[in-house]
Amino acid sequence: MEGLHNAPHSMGTTIIGVTYDGGVVLGADSRTSTGMYVANRASDKITQLTDNVYVCRSGSAADSQIVSDYVRYFLEQHTIQLGEPATVKVAANLVRLLSYQNKNMLQTGLIVGGWDKYEGGQIYSVPLGGTILKEPFTIGGSGSTYLYGFFDQAWKEGMSKEEAEKLVVKAVSLAIARDGASGGVVRTVIINADGVTRNFYPGDTLPLWHEELEAHNSLLDILSSDSPVPMST
Amino acid sequence: MEGLHNAPHSMGTTIIGVTYDGGVVLGADSRTSTGMYVANRESDKITQLTDNVYVCRSGSAADSQIVSDYVRYFLEQHTIQPGEPATAKVAANLVRLLSYQNKNMLQTGLIVGGWDKYEGGQIYSIPLGGTILKEPFTIGGSGSSYLYGFFDQAWKEGMSKEEAEKLVVKAVSLAIARDGASGGVVHTVIINADGVTRNFYPGDTLPLWHEELEAHSSLLDILSSGSSAESPVPMST
């Protein structure tokens, strides 16, 4: 079982950033794996850069943590000089510069989201390689492949805060159902003019899709209740 | 440019099979590529096995064609014996046996769909390797990765024929938007007690998603309409 602990910590992940009418909603799963072992089943992949800007991390856990740490450090100094909160664009650009200039050494995809008084809610996608793209919504991580079809037809301009968060939670749970590297709970962070709200959705509150089984605490629960439903072939 | 013609013909594809209340709907895109060249932009990937059973083909164009040909041949002979149409299960099993027993040589994923009087509408998924799985709906091909999230929440038990076909066409167009190896038009085949209906949806009738641009016949259309219509929208960065 040595292979379990030698593999680099990677966040096969599902991360999402969505703008709505007034701010942004960031969402992520909570699984960090080393190979097939789930090293952390309740990770927090949505990391704070400033009061009003957060980043969703995917790919190498180490690389994404280091980039976030540097950007947080630079932004703190920048904020002192500026005398007001850093804008989302500045934060995203710093993330992009680090990603691009160290592209040979880093393996991390990031989604920067926040709110500022100049441009309102914004989402910036900074994938592998260090491109920066400002988008109304974006998805990332290994689980995102399964969400392109869903999002292309589900996202609409001008959603409310509640609609946007519902969409994000639903999407992460769809990806968790299909991507072995995503799992655990769903965390969301909502950022708007009023501030920041963190929400937490435990795995058992998430919808199950089709052939998924209801979670049971232990085999005893299944055996002692009415006859268990065999796995359908 | 030699590489264009040497690469094997592969159907990077999007194929879908869905059961509804009374039958099945099969759907597919129409792109066959050799490397980056689109060898056929109007392929028909939904192939007839019997009057009441069709198969959606993906992967190697050659392999899927050969498997379909053999199965059609075997089924024709088989139909003579019982004297009635082959069941969808028998057809799917033949496809599976060929796929499994020749797994080292074949690279094709198939979706068998049909209707018979014993079990109604059925969809069987036969991916690479030759597993057979009876499912209420299934997706396959390179474009299918992008559809899992959509389908998991969009498919419902007991849809009507119109709902099922709408779902299939929408799904194929979503996959075409994201998968470079899928494209062209959408073909659907509906099979039920009344028979078989083939439908055809040209590319310009399909919905566009978000940043996709409206198709223009040529640059002249954009330039000449500049005065009366709005100026062309530059690609957003």
Side-chain angles (χ1 to χ4, degrees):
Chain A
M1 289 288 156
E2 285 153 26
L4 287 176
H5 305 285
N6 291 343
H9 277 62
S10 114
M11 294 178 303
T13 290
T14 304
I15 50 176
I16 301 179
V18 163
T19 56
Y20 72 91
D21 190 25
V24 300
V25 179
L26 300 177
D29 74 306
S30 71
R31 177 171 290 189
T32 302
S33 29
T34 45
M36 282 288 112
Y37 176 66
V38 178
N40 187 350
R41 63 182 169 100
S43 334
D44 183 9
K45 305 182 184 183
I46 311 179
T47 300
Q48 185 181 30
L49 297 179
T50 69
D51 288 340
N52 55 317
V53 183
Y54 281 66
V55 61
C56 297
R57 304 180 292 109
S58 80
S60 157
D63 289 350
S64 65
Q65 284 173 1
I66 257 291
V67 168
S68 308
D69 289 349
Y70 270 111
V71 173
R72 197 175 325 142
Y73 168 65
F74 291 138
L75 281 174
E76 201 176 318
Q77 304 194 311
H78 169 76
T79 305
I80 292 167
Q81 289 191 319
L82 209 56
E84 60 175 45
T87 58
V88 187
K89 182 182 281 193
V90 164
N93 198 39
L94 281 170
V95 172
R96 180 269 297 225
L97 288 172
L98 283 172
S99 284
Y100 179 76
Q101 290 167 0
N102 297 290
K103 60 161 72 194
N104 295 328
M105 293 181 286
L106 294 174
Q107 200 182 61
T108 172
L110 302 150
I111 298 178
V112 180
W115 183 95
D116 59 51
K117 66 187 190 193
Y118 297 103
E119 301 204 40
Q122 304 142 70
I123 292 285
Y124 294 88
S125 172
V126 184
L128 254 47
T131 320
I132 184 166
L133 269 173
K134 180 175 186 299
E135 299 183 289
F137 71 93
T138 192
I139 57 182
S142 57
S144 67
T145 322
Y146 307 108
L147 296 180
Y148 282 102
F150 171 66
F151 254 100
D152 275 345
Q153 54 90 47
W155 183 83
K156 303 193 186 326
E157 189 93 48
M159 284 188 291
S160 73
K161 179 174 74 161
E162 289 72 25
E163 288 177 318
E165 199 194 16
K166 265 212 173 82
L167 181 66
V168 166
V169 173
K170 184 175 184 184
V172 178
S173 78
L174 283 165
I176 285 176
R178 291 290 181 175
D179 179 29
S182 300
V185 306
V186 179
R187 296 189 194 276
T188 63
V189 173
I190 308 175
I191 313 172
N192 53 31
D194 305 322
V196 177
T197 312
R198 266 193 172 281
N199 287 324
F200 168 80
Y201 297 88
D204 55 357
T205 62
L206 302 175
L208 290 178
W209 306 102
H210 300 294
E211 293 110 15
E212 291 186 294
L213 300 171
E214 282 287 334
H216 285 98
N217 283 328
S218 92
L219 200 57
L220 293 175
D221 286 352
I222 311 178
L223 292 180
S224 51
S225 62
D226 33 68
S227 47
V229 179
M231 282 184 12
S232 54
T233 36
Chain B
M1 291 285 157
E2 286 154 26
L4 286 176
H5 305 284
N6 291 344
H9 278 62
S10 115
M11 294 177 306
T13 290
T14 304
I15 50 176
I16 300 179
V18 163
T19 57
Y20 71 90
D21 188 26
V24 299
V25 179
L26 299 178
D29 75 308
S30 71
R31 178 171 289 189
T32 302
S33 29
T34 45
M36 283 286 113
Y37 174 66
V38 178
N40 187 352
R41 62 181 170 97
E42 224 291 276
S43 334
D44 183 11
K45 305 183 185 183
I46 310 179
T47 299
Q48 185 183 29
L49 298 180
T50 70
D51 289 339
N52 53 319
V53 182
Y54 281 65
V55 61
C56 296
R57 304 180 291 109
S58 78
S60 155
D63 288 351
S64 64
Q65 284 173 2
I66 256 295
V67 168
S68 308
D69 289 349
Y70 270 111
V71 172
R72 197 177 324 144
Y73 168 64
F74 292 138
L75 281 174
E76 199 177 319
Q77 306 196 309
H78 167 78
T79 305
I80 294 168
Q81 292 189 326
E84 59 175 39
T87 58
K89 183 183 281 193
V90 163
N93 199 39
L94 280 171
V95 173
R96 182 265 300 220
L97 289 172
L98 281 173
S99 283
Y100 179 75
Q101 290 168 1
N102 297 290
K103 61 161 72 193
N104 295 327
M105 292 181 287
L106 295 174
Q107 200 181 57
T108 170
L110 301 151
I111 297 178
V112 178
W115 183 96
D116 59 54
K117 67 187 190 194
Y118 298 102
E119 301 204 39
Q122 304 141 70
I123 292 286
Y124 295 89
S125 171
I126 301 158
L128 256 43
T131 320
I132 184 168
L133 268 174
K134 180 174 186 299
E135 298 182 294
F137 70 92
T138 192
I139 56 182
S142 58
S144 67
S145 311
Y146 307 108
L147 296 180
Y148 282 103
F150 170 65
F151 254 98
D152 274 346
Q153 54 89 47
W155 183 84
K156 298 184 189 334
E157 188 94 46
M159 283 188 292
S160 72
K161 179 174 73 160
E162 289 71 25
E163 288 177 317
E165 199 192 17
K166 265 214 174 79
L167 180 67
V168 166
V169 173
K170 184 176 184 182
V172 178
S173 78
L174 283 165
I176 284 175
R178 291 290 182 175
D179 179 28
S182 299
V185 307
V186 179
H187 286 116
T188 63
V189 173
I190 307 175
I191 313 173
N192 52 32
D194 305 323
V196 176
T197 312
R198 266 191 174 283
N199 288 324
F200 168 80
Y201 298 88
D204 55 357
T205 62
L206 302 176
L208 291 177
W209 306 103
H210 300 295
E211 293 112 13
E212 289 186 295
L213 299 171
E214 281 289 335
H216 285 98
S217 290
S218 90
L219 200 58
L220 292 175
D221 285 350
I222 310 179
L223 292 177
S224 54
S225 67
S227 45
S228 42
E230 333 80 38
S231 43
V233 180
M235 284 188 6
S236 54
T237 35

